[in-house]
Structure formats: structure tokens, C-alpha cells
Amino acid sequence: MIILGIETSCDETAAAVVTETGDPQHPWRILSSVVASQVEIHREWGGVVPELSARQHIRDICGVVERALADAGVEAVGYDAVAVTEGPGLVGSLLVGVSFAKSLAWSRGIPLVPVHHLAGHIESLALQNGEMPLPAVVLVVSGGHTSLYRVPAPGTYELLGRTRDDAAGEAYDKVAKLLGLGYPGGPVIDRIAGQGNDRAVAFPKTRLTHVDRNAPHLPGTRDFSFSGLKTSVLRHVTGRRETLGLAADDPPPPSEVADICASFQRVVVETLLDRLFDAAVAYSARSVGIAGGVSANSRLRAEGTARAERRDLPLFLPSLALSTDNAAMIAAAGLRRYRAGVTAGWDLNAHAALAL
Ligand code: KG4
Ligand code: ZN
């Protein structure tokens, strides 16, 4: 079976063609994957502008899908289903992908498969590396999400914890903005942090001990919070500006910026990995995974790999191309769902706050 995946939940218009292999250990293979990034458009504004994003998806979707089909060489043989991200994300952006996928599937008379964006990130791990030994604990960490899942069986995802406020990627983006480093913040902080002292500034590590009133079914102790860290970076920078006599928008000198980036990144990475490996032990996981845009982070990858080796646990990571938003992961998750018997009707809608 060959599936076309479509992803438009945020600022990437993406389409990909993925085929089943028949090998239960490595069930899927990517035939093509095309991503049109809108980063240049949103950079000017320091973050994603939803209305601009939706309008750009409309401009790009036809070309991106045509290119994915051409690259895969499936125009003649065709494809058997269309998978699309139904949520969560920016509703105007999601609607472009959902409407396009519905029209395409209806006109070709093939099934439409709805996919949760985070299920896509989780399945990027099996797409890249083959099936994970289960049960697994997977951290999904991106610009919009920081969530910890237990995967007891293929295609089953149980939420163990999530951020109460900012996502880790969002914290990267906001700290980068504060330091005048531009958008998106993750890659640039990652690079500059390498030149700094990660013990230079003692930023706080948040540990939550109480249940979230909005999610009483979760234990709460495996939740994340990054807004306190962000505020602490802001206070530090404001203090340094005053001491050095800098103007309100001026960043501190480059060597200090490197120290701040390194110290900030150490706290983020340690917080994420502490929770991930605590949960892995608590739930007797046979493997662990890290997916989503922030999984591209060099320190998170290196320290995650080292901790996993110490515990003798296999760590699953996506390739850099599969870590940020793409449609190959949506196609893979779509194949998993289709084989589990899930398809959507022609009344499928986009859901900005869809739960997994
Ligand atoms: O998964 P993704 O492409 O989009 C969402 O679903 O949000 O993740 C984008 C996020 C951005 O916040 C970006 O700053 C972050 O991933 N990111 C990184 C790195 N590369 C991208 N964060 C830390 N280190 C990186 N190397
Ligand atoms: Zn994402």
C-alpha cells in the first residue's frame, strides 16, 4: 500500500509519499518528502503569524503535493490513501490541508485517514529506525508541545505529562528573541551555546509536585513548565543591561550571550531528560524516544544517547529532516491508523486543540 501524507498544521506546507515494505520490523519506506518552509515570511514578525501562514499554505499546497508525487514516481501507478493532519495546530492552516486532502481522496475514490500531529512525530521514530521495543516512553518536544507518552502497543499513546505553560521550543524562540538572535530560536541557541559556559548563570529547574487543575487525571509530577525559566533569563538580561548601562533592546556582549545560551540550554535539556528517564524506569520501558523539532538539538541528542547507554536502553531519534515538521511522519502514522481500521468521512474537520 502507498499513501500520500499532507501536513499544514503550522508554518510548513509538506507532502510525502510513503510505502509499506512488508517487513514487520521496518514497516515503511519514504518514496518522497517535500517541505516548503515559511520561516522567511514569519521571521520578520519574530514568530508565526496565523493568518499569513494559512494564506501561504493555499499558495504552496498544489505545488508541494505535485512535487511529492513526481519525486516518488507514482503518478502512473497512483496511491491508495491520503493521510492528513487534522490537529492540533493553527485552525486556518489545518483547514487548508484537510480541505485539500478531502478533495483529493474524494475525487480519486480512495480512503482519507485523519492523523494527530503528535502521533506523526511519535511515528517518525519507527519510520526512521524501525519498530520500537514496547512498552516505550516517548518525549515529543517541539515549538507547540512538550509531552511525555507511554506507548504500550503499536498506535496506542497514553499521556503521562505535558507542559503547563510554554513548550520547550517556544522557550527557545522567546529567549532567542530576547537576546536579539532572531527566529526560530532553537538552531541559533544550539549553535551559540557550544561557545559558552553552561554553569555561568544559575537558572532554576522547575519541578512540579501538584496536580494540574485542568488535567486532574494526570499525576502532575511528570509535567513540565518553562515559563519560570524564561522569566529568569529575562530578569538576568535586564539586570546585566542595567549594570552595563545598555539600552532597553541591546543584547549583552557576545561572550555573555553564549554563557546565557549554554546555561539556559543545560537546564532545558536536563529537565527534559530527567522526566523522560524517570518515566522510563517507572513504567519499565524497553525503549525510549525523543521526537519533534527540539529533538534536533545537539546537546539533547548527545546527553540523551549517553544516559540511554548508561541504562542499557535503546534510544530512538528521528533524522534531522524528520525531527521538524514534515509529511512523511504523517503518512507513516496514517498507514498505522489505516491498518487499525481508522478512516474519516467527508465531513472531517480541523481541530485546533485535538487531544491525543
Ligand atoms: O516540530 P516543529 O518543527 O514544529 C512544531 O510542531 O512546533 O518544532 C519547531 C521548534 C521551534 O521552536 C524551534 O526553535 C525548535 O523546534 N528547534 C530547536 C532546534 N531546531 C529546531 N530547538 C532546539 N535546538 C535545535 N537545534
Ligand atoms: Zn511538529
Side-chain angles (χ1 to χ4, degrees), residues 58 87 89 102 122 130 152 155 179 182 208 259 262 270 272 281 284 287 293 305 325 340 354-355:
I58 293 173
K102 278 205 282 196
I122 294 173
L179 294 172
L208 295 160
D259 286 349
E270 286 180 1
L272 293 172
V281 171
S284 306
S287 62
T305 304
D325 286 349
L354 187 67

Side-chain angles (χ1 to χ4, degrees), residues 8-334:
T8 62
S9 69
C10 191
D11 60 342
E12 263 96 27
T13 317
V17 181
V18 169
T19 182
E20 286 179 320
T21 61
D23 173 354
Q25 204 44 49
H26 283 267
W28 313 302
R29 189 160 53 84
I30 301 172
L31 298 180
S32 69
S33 181
V34 178
V35 179
S37 171
Q38 304 177 356
V39 161
E40 292 310 322
I41 293 165
H42 301 293
R43 182 167 282 148
E44 190 183 340
W45 309 95
V48 178
V49 184
E51 187 60 29
L52 293 181
S53 168
R55 285 164 192 253
Q56 193 62 33
H57 283 306
I58 293 173
R59 288 186 200 104
D60 287 341
I61 185 98
C62 285
V64 166
V65 170
E66 278 170 3
R67 175 70 186 274
L69 294 173
D71 284 0
V74 295
E75 291 129 309
V77 286
Y79 45 96
D80 308 300
V82 182
V84 65
T85 307
E86 63 169 334
L90 304 170
V91 77
S93 301
L94 287 165
L95 275 170
V96 177
V98 167
S99 313
F100 195 92
K102 278 205 282 196
S103 324
L104 207 55
W106 180 79
S107 63
R108 297 184 72 98
I110 56 178
L112 176 67
V113 188
V115 173
H116 191 287
H117 183 76
L118 297 192
H121 276 300
I122 294 173
E123 297 305 344
S124 74
L125 300 173
L127 175 61
Q128 171 78 31
N129 309 286
E131 295 284 15
M132 300 180 75
L134 302 180
V137 172
V138 177
L139 173 70
V140 184
V141 61
S142 70
H145 301 272
T146 302
S147 303
L148 203 50
Y149 287 94
R150 188 172 93 94
V151 185
T156 305
Y157 320 104
E158 288 173 12
L159 185 64
L160 301 176
R162 53 168 196 181
T163 183
R164 301 269 180 104
D165 38 61
D166 291 353
E170 192 179 356
Y172 267 95
D173 295 337
K174 288 176 176 169
V175 166
K177 195 171 179 180
L178 171 70
L179 294 172
L181 298 174
Y183 173 85
V188 59
I189 290 185
D190 192 1
R191 184 164 43 78
I192 294 176
Q195 297 144 27
N197 169 7
D198 67 3
R199 301 272 167 184
V201 192
F203 293 129
K205 256 195 197 178
T206 309
R207 193 163 250 298
L208 295 160
T209 51
H210 58 286
V211 169
D212 181 358
R213 263 184 297 142
N214 299 316
H217 55 286
L218 294 176
T221 48
R222 299 202 193 286
D223 284 353
F224 301 89
S225 165
F226 292 105
S227 71
L229 172 62
K230 177 191 67 189
T231 307
S232 160
V233 177
L234 173 64
R235 279 218 198 87
H236 175 79
V237 171
T238 310
R240 293 302 296 153
R241 276 190 190 124
E242 276 168 18
T243 309
L244 299 170
L246 300 171
D249 283 342
D250 280 353
S255 70
E256 279 196 35
V257 168
D259 286 349
I260 294 168
C261 288
S263 304
F264 163 79
Q265 177 152 288
R266 180 175 67 80
V267 172
V268 174
V269 167
E270 286 180 1
T271 305
L272 293 172
L273 293 178
D274 287 352
R275 298 279 197 294
L276 172 63
F277 284 96
D278 277 358
V281 171
Y283 292 94
S284 306
R286 292 181 57 225
S287 62
V288 287
I290 308 176
V294 181
S295 73
N297 186 265
S298 61
R299 181 163 184 160
L300 186 62
R301 284 179 169 249
E303 269 182 37
T305 304
R307 286 202 200 192
E309 272 169 14
R310 281 205 296 278
R311 287 172 180 75
D312 218 8
L313 268 175
L315 170 66
F316 283 62
L317 289 165
S319 65
L320 291 184
L322 285 182
S323 70
T324 46
D325 286 349
N326 65 86
M329 68 185 194
I330 301 303

